[in-house]
Amino acid sequence: MIDSWHDGIANVPAARRALEAGASQGDLAQLARAVAYETVFAMLYHLAADEEATGQLPSWALAEIAPTGEPTGRHLDGLHEDLLTLDPSGRDGQDLWI
């Protein structure tokens, strides 16, 4: 999903204006990918850190379910730590900040 920005960047009005002003489509797509990565990382980190929250407020957890919809008892923890290694391009996100 993070890589999907390459083809659709011109659909974002601000990006379209930047393209019309001479910005590179590749640079804008890379910016969008980096923002998408940082957003997903922050959300996954929040899910992991929320388990450590104390107090009386509820917290969040990401859990695995069986095909029948029943919980398997396995919780998915630390996904933010694995995000770059899940890059389907095999680049491990190395091209996001060059």
Side-chain angles (χ1 to χ4, degrees), residues 80-94:
H80 64 286
E81 297 168 353
D82 297 325
L83 184 59
L84 288 178
T85 61
L86 298 172
D87 182 356
S89 72
R91 297 183 302 251
D92 294 339
Q94 293 176 10

Side-chain angles (χ1 to χ4, degrees), residues 5 9 25-37 95-96:
W5 283 101
I9 196 71
Q25 180 171 344
D27 283 348
L28 289 176
Q30 185 172 347
L31 171 65
R33 288 177 60 238
V35 169
Y37 167 80
D95 61 328
L96 291 177

Side-chain angles (χ1 to χ4, degrees), residues 23-84:
S24 158
Q25 180 171 344
D27 283 348
L28 289 176
Q30 185 172 347
L31 171 65
R33 288 177 60 238
V35 169
Y37 167 80
E38 291 292 340
T39 302
V40 170
F41 182 90
M43 183 197 66
L44 293 173
Y45 181 82
H46 177 71
L47 284 174
D50 205 42
E51 291 176 353
E52 301 166 7
T54 58
Q56 297 179 0
L57 296 176
S59 63
W60 293 90
L62 188 58
E64 179 184 69
I65 59 170
T68 60
E70 298 295 318
T72 64
R74 290 179 37 180
H75 286 95
L76 304 172
D77 297 321
L79 290 178
H80 64 286
E81 297 168 353
D82 297 325
L83 184 59
L84 288 178

